[in-house]
Amino acid sequence: TKKRRRRRKEREDGDKPKKRRGKRCSDLLSQAQHHVARARRVEDEERALQEKQERERETLKLKQMEEEKERARQKELQAQQQEQARQQFILKTQNLLHFQKEVSPPPKQSKRKRPAGDDEIISEEDNENRTTEGVPKTKKKRRSRTSRGDETKKRRRR
């Protein structure tokens, strides 16, 4: 029954289903054109964004390279300055040492008079080691503390 009604309408309308189909097709075509245009616009935006990001990366790389060169140049300049300071310090110390050598007076001779008959030099150590007869004294050896401590421990144990 439904099929029959539909067929009757189709016969009566005749061209209407064809018009409907045509209208649907034109709607679909306009939608497709709209989708294609939107897809192209999105693709162009993405491409432009990628190009912009690539340019930013390149400028950042260049900036970093320039900063690295500047740091290297500063480091080299600092090393040169340090080397100059070292050389100046060396020259100053050499000049100072040379100046001190020139200025220092000759060593003073002792004010003590020598005995008339002695040609040998007598120092205080020699005087301490000699007796009145001219024979050197021998010093007594002292016991070390460790040896004394050991003896006292042995005595305590007994």
Side-chain angles (χ1 to χ4, degrees):
T1 60
K2 288 184 181 180
K3 286 183 183 179
R4 287 183 189 167
R5 284 185 200 162
R6 227 190 279 163
R7 284 184 189 164
R8 273 189 209 161
K9 268 188 167 182
E10 287 177 7
R11 284 185 211 147
E12 291 171 2
D13 293 334
D15 290 336
K16 285 186 180 179
K18 289 181 184 178
K19 286 183 181 179
R20 280 188 227 156
R21 281 187 219 149
K23 190 173 184 180
R24 284 184 201 155
C25 287
S26 64
D27 288 343
L28 290 174
L29 283 174
S30 66
Q31 286 176 2
Q33 289 173 351
H34 174 70
H35 287 298
V36 168
R38 188 177 64 181
R40 284 183 184 158
R41 188 174 62 242
V42 168
E43 184 179 339
D44 290 341
E45 289 173 0
E46 287 177 356
R47 189 178 310 123
L49 182 63
Q50 286 175 352
E51 288 174 359
K52 181 182 175 185
Q53 288 175 346
E54 185 65 30
R55 282 192 304 268
E56 289 174 355
R57 276 193 292 261
E58 289 297 321
T59 56
L60 182 63
K61 282 182 183 179
L62 289 174
K63 185 178 178 183
Q64 287 176 345
M65 288 173 58
E66 288 174 4
E67 288 175 356
E68 184 66 29
K69 287 179 183 178
E70 181 66 26
R71 280 193 295 265
R73 191 167 41 101
Q74 289 292 332
K75 191 175 182 180
E76 184 177 326
L77 181 63
Q78 186 178 9
Q80 288 176 354
Q81 289 174 348
Q82 285 179 346
E83 185 62 31
Q84 287 177 350
R86 284 187 197 110
Q87 292 300 324
Q88 288 175 353
F89 179 76
I90 289 170
L91 287 175
K92 285 180 183 179
T93 54
Q94 285 176 349
N95 290 338
L96 185 64
L97 291 174
H98 187 66
F99 181 72
Q100 285 179 353
K101 286 180 183 176
E102 289 177 2
V103 173
S104 64
K108 294 182 180 181
Q109 295 179 357
S110 64
K111 293 181 181 180
R112 186 176 47 148
K113 294 182 179 179
R114 292 189 210 165
D118 281 340
D119 283 341
E120 77 179 50
I121 299 174
I122 300 173
S123 67
E124 291 180 23
E125 292 177 358
D126 292 340
N127 286 338
E128 290 175 1
N129 290 337
R130 295 183 184 269
T131 60
T132 54
E133 300 147 9
V135 179
K137 289 183 181 179
T138 56
K139 292 185 179 180
K140 293 182 180 178
K141 292 185 180 179
R142 292 186 179 179
R143 293 186 203 170
S144 65
R145 291 183 180 183
T146 56
S147 64
R148 235 185 295 150
D150 291 341
E151 291 175 8
T152 55
K153 288 180 184 176
K154 291 178 183 176
R155 288 181 195 163
R156 288 181 191 163
R157 289 182 189 166
R158 293 182 189 169

